[in-house]
Amino acid sequence: MNRNKKCGLYVHIPFCHRKCLYCDFFSAGDKIADWDAYIKAILSEASVRREELPSSPSTLYIGGGTPSLIPTEHFLRLMQGLKEFFPSLSPDEFTIEANPDDIDEERINVWKAEGVNRVSLGVQSFNNDELKAVGRLHSATQAEDAILLLKENFSNVSTDLIFGLPGQTIESWQKTVEKMIDLCPAHISAYSLMYEQGTPLTALRETGRLKATPEEDAERMFEFLTEKLRGAGYERYEISNYARPEMYSRHNTSYWKGIPYLGLGPSAHSYDGEKARRWNVPDLKGYLRHYAAKDVETPIYKEEILTEEELREEYILTRMRMAEGITLAEYDNLWGEESGEILRRNARKEIERGLLREKDGNIFLTDEGIMIADSVIVQLAM
């Protein structure tokens, strides 16, 4: 392995106390969790796929699901195994996702001892009625207490918020944002509630049992968020992510910059940094069955080899999510001057509409452009 090349490692923990009504990520109830078998399977997959990474991971992210549910003895076993398969594993950034109701001193001490230096906490709201409306189990008080305890132990605490929740008003959203600013985490991710196909929340909307937040209200919520966070010293470095200077998520940034990463666990995705995208199917039983076998020699995943055109479109999509946007000189170098001229011509139309800006050789979304980012990016990629 080349020890100097950047790459990331993601470990998926699919278990939750209860699935949130809006969630379409692959997960299962923690009552069926066989932690011993699951950790063995993760390490078995790591043993046969470690050579897909060009170096020991520079970032490690344990996501889910709810990784903070991992019993401490199994977390220690997971880390021991990963260190065996990835020599000198000492990532610059080691993130674990957590829910507020799981945070306690024992977990924190174990995480710190194993090198965790960043915790991503699913807060979503500081309004108890809004939390209940989407099936969250923690209270606003628990979220506040968890943030304060985490900040005593980690310099890099990230929090998630959602706007457009059922029953949420502009005023209640403003109180949530202001409360979060008062608590001053290093990083804040804020997402508009999405009604994904097949989720209980979407079914409730379609049967008329709840009303979605009007689009104009969601836009006002986003505008308030951006203005308040900017005034509080947070930098928006990606469409949905804000951070104190130098505190952006290195692992997530690697996804947007095309850096190689390996995903372990059912439904986890991987990328070789060139043309190959791989993903594990969301099948817990099948995953455990395959990796429980003795002397596993071959992994199981789906694979797609991207064409040059798909790589170009993906480059535009991922780079335009970031505040810095696309560096035109880099684009010309990768895709040719003829393609670069087409990109500039498409960009000029969006600049005239006030949806893009060009500065210092970069094109990037304006605040107005972010609100309709998907359509702007489609126009650029044409």
Side-chain angles (χ1 to χ4, degrees):
M1 285 185 174
N2 172 2
R3 303 293 175 210
N4 297 318
K5 188 167 183 179
K6 288 185 177 181
C7 61
L9 177 63
Y10 173 82
V11 179
H12 188 67
I13 306 298
F15 306 112
C16 293
H17 279 313
R18 183 172 70 192
K19 195 177 183 77
C20 298
L21 299 183
Y22 54 79
C23 181
D24 70 336
F25 292 151
F26 175 68
S27 63
D30 65 321
K31 291 182 180 179
I32 68 167
D34 183 338
W35 289 105
D36 185 63
Y38 191 74
I39 298 303
K40 284 181 180 177
I42 288 287
L43 296 177
S44 179
E45 184 184 10
S47 72
V48 296
R49 299 191 65 186
R50 53 184 165 173
E51 294 303 323
E52 292 179 35
L53 289 180
S55 67
S56 189
S58 50
T59 63
L60 171 56
Y61 195 107
I62 303 182
T66 310
S68 53
L69 288 177
I70 307 174
T72 53
E73 64 270 25
H74 293 291
F75 180 82
L76 290 170
R77 222 163 41 80
L78 171 65
M79 293 309 303
Q80 180 183 3
L82 291 178
K83 290 172 183 176
E84 290 178 6
F85 297 126
F86 300 98
S88 306
L89 179 63
S90 182
D92 299 329
E93 179 186 271
F94 181 176
T95 302
I96 186 168
E97 291 182 349
N99 278 347
D101 40 321
D102 294 327
I103 299 302
D104 58 37
E105 299 250 1
E106 180 188 359
R107 282 188 175 90
I108 286 173
N109 290 334
V110 170
W111 294 345
K112 287 170 64 177
E114 291 301 313
V116 172
N117 56 19
R118 183 175 184 270
V119 178
S120 179
L121 192 70
V123 174
Q124 317 314 357
S125 172
F126 285 110
N127 182 294
N128 287 329
D129 291 335
E130 293 167 7
L131 292 170
K132 290 177 182 177
V134 291
R136 299 294 289 179
L137 294 176
H138 69 270
S139 68
T141 299
Q142 283 178 306
E144 180 177 356
D145 291 344
I147 293 171
L148 293 174
L149 182 57
L150 289 171
K151 285 183 62 181
E152 291 176 6
N153 291 275
F154 300 94
S155 60
N156 196 347
V157 175
S158 177
T159 58
D160 286 359
L161 294 176
I162 297 178
F163 58 93
L165 293 169
Q168 190 175 55
T169 65
I170 293 171
E171 291 74 20
S172 69
W173 171 246
Q174 289 174 346
K175 289 179 180 178
T176 283
V177 173
E178 288 166 351
K179 181 66 174 180
M180 189 63 79
I181 289 173
D182 288 342
L183 291 167
C184 198
H187 185 284
I188 299 172
S189 298
Y191 307 96
S192 176
L193 180 66
M194 303 299 292
Y195 287 85
E196 304 289 357
Q197 194 64 35
T199 63
L201 196 70
T202 299
L204 289 171
R205 184 193 63 176
E206 290 177 349
T207 57
R209 295 168 64 186
L210 67 79
K211 291 184 178 180
T213 300
E215 186 174 335
E216 57 270 23
D217 285 356
E219 290 179 1
R220 288 177 62 190
M221 290 176 184
F222 176 76
E223 290 167 357
F224 177 84
L225 169 80
T226 300
E227 180 182 344
K228 292 295 288 188
L229 292 185
R230 185 179 291 146
Y234 288 88
E235 300 171 354
R236 184 186 65 80
Y237 69 96
E238 192 270 345
I239 285 179
S240 302
N241 289 280
Y242 305 77
R244 297 289 184 189
E246 305 301 323
M247 302 301 282
Y248 58 87
S249 169
R250 298 181 187 182
H251 184 85
N252 289 340
T253 298
S254 71
Y255 296 155
W256 307 317
K257 289 195 170 184
I259 294 171
Y261 58 92
L262 173 64
L264 304 177
S267 82
H269 286 239
S270 306
Y271 178 53
D272 71 350
E274 296 180 5
K275 295 183 177 182
R277 291 207 173 274
R278 303 178 180 116
W279 62 96
N280 295 338
V281 297
D283 176 5
L284 178 61
K285 289 183 179 179
Y287 181 85
L288 292 174
R289 184 167 54 249
H290 179 82
Y291 286 110
K294 290 184 178 180
D295 302 319
V296 176
E297 295 182 357
T298 57
I300 48 169
Y301 53 71
K302 303 287 186 179
E303 182 178 67
E304 177 186 19
I305 304 300
L306 301 175
T307 66
E308 286 298 305
E309 180 60 18
E310 287 170 334
L311 287 167
R312 185 190 71 85
E313 292 174 353
E314 191 169 276
Y315 176 91
I316 293 174
L317 171 65
T318 54
R319 294 306 192 279
M320 288 306 296
R321 288 193 62 86
M322 303 184 68
E324 63 198 60
I326 292 174
T327 301
L328 294 170
E330 179 182 75
Y331 184 92
D332 291 345
N333 183 56
L334 289 170
W335 313 109
E337 293 184 4
E338 182 177 348
S339 181
E341 181 50 42
I342 294 173
L343 178 71
R344 288 170 174 81
R345 184 166 64 245
N346 291 339
R348 281 194 288 272
K349 299 175 185 177
E350 305 306 312
I351 291 171
E352 291 172 0
R353 296 172 62 197
L355 303 176
L356 288 180
R357 282 189 64 197
E358 181 176 357
K359 183 179 180 182
D360 299 330
N362 284 38
I363 55 171
F364 52 90
L365 292 163
T366 63
D367 288 347
E368 293 77 12
I370 289 172
M371 298 303 300
I372 53 171
D374 290 348
S375 63
V376 175
I377 292 170
V378 167
Q379 292 302 313
L380 284 180
M382 292 178 63

